[in-house]
Amino acid sequence: SDVLGSAGAAPQSLVARVGANAFNLLLMDVAQPQAAVVVAERLLQALAAPLALNDRALVLTASVGMAMFPRDASDADGLARCAEQARYTAKAAGRGQHRFFDEAMNQAASARLARESDLRRAIAHGQLRLHYQPKLDAASGTTLGAEALVRWMHPQRGLVSPADFIPLAEESGLIVPLTDWVLDTVCAELRRQGDAGLPMLPV
């Protein structure tokens, strides 16, 4: 578990200072590389928050290298060496970057970040659409209400399946602004129906 989410583990057993400005962070029970990416991104965001020092704002940056057991190494020394090499790669890529020791993992992480950026843009720039699925009484056929289903109309990829972007939204935290957009849009459309004298069915 990571330091921010583990109540039982002792923080001093998870973080070690190994150089003047270098630290090792050990994450236990990481089922997928993506879990390490989430922690790395949260760590970089926390470090990037300005610190007040003598009436000045001090901004720190970090480079994060990641190695996975047993894929990259089978012992602590080997993992540390692989993570250090990955950190050099991250540092060369610019400030506030993270990289895996394994290039395939880097490519997967980069692709995910690109999808996350696309989804953030979709929420902000009107690429989301609502489809309404009616809820019917089986005996009479009467419409009792509707279910609002969110869809993403990507300018290049076309209609993106919710199976692709809902899990991404949940993992990245974008599910909150996405849900807010859905609720705001449904309420506004119901209000317009009511103002037009149309029946306002529950959604």
Side-chain angles (χ1 to χ4, degrees), residues 10-195:
Q12 63 267 26
S13 68
L14 300 176
V15 181
R17 185 176 184 221
V18 295
N21 59 352
F23 299 84
N24 282 353
L25 175 64
L26 177 64
L27 300 180
M28 305 297 291
D29 300 325
V30 176
Q32 296 179 348
Q34 185 54 44
V37 171
V38 170
V39 175
E41 290 175 357
R42 191 163 61 212
L43 181 63
L44 290 173
Q45 288 174 4
L47 287 171
L51 300 171
L53 182 66
N54 297 331
D55 298 324
R56 293 186 178 183
L58 179 66
V59 178
L60 303 177
T61 59
S63 302
V64 178
M66 295 175 284
M68 301 291 292
F69 169 88
R71 176 175 178 151
D72 300 325
S74 59
D75 59 25
D77 288 340
L79 282 172
R81 284 194 299 271
C82 291
E84 186 176 16
Q85 290 181 35
R87 181 172 61 84
Y88 292 140
T89 304
K91 193 171 184 178
R95 296 184 176 185
Q97 301 290 320
H98 58 76
R99 293 291 184 271
F100 280 105
F101 177 71
D102 181 89
E103 184 54 35
M105 289 184 181
N106 280 330
Q107 292 175 359
S110 295
R112 181 192 174 279
L113 285 175
R115 292 198 313 274
E116 183 180 325
S117 177
D118 269 3
L119 181 55
R120 195 181 307 276
R121 194 177 303 111
I123 296 169
H125 294 97
Q127 295 176 16
L128 299 180
R129 303 286 184 269
L130 283 183
H131 291 186
Y132 292 94
Q133 179 171 298
K135 298 171 74 174
L136 305 177
D137 181 284
S140 66
T142 305
T143 301
L144 302 176
E147 183 177 355
L149 307 173
V150 65
R151 297 294 183 259
W152 178 8
M153 183 57 72
H154 192 283
Q156 281 81 41
R157 296 164 57 195
L159 197 61
V160 180
S161 168
D164 290 339
F165 72 86
I166 295 296
L168 174 64
E170 290 173 341
E171 292 168 8
S172 64
L174 290 173
I175 195 69
V176 174
L178 189 153
T179 301
D180 288 344
W181 180 88
V182 170
L183 291 172
D184 288 346
T185 304
V186 168
C187 290
E189 290 184 358
L190 285 175
R191 181 71 271 162
R192 281 194 294 272
Q193 288 181 16
D195 290 347

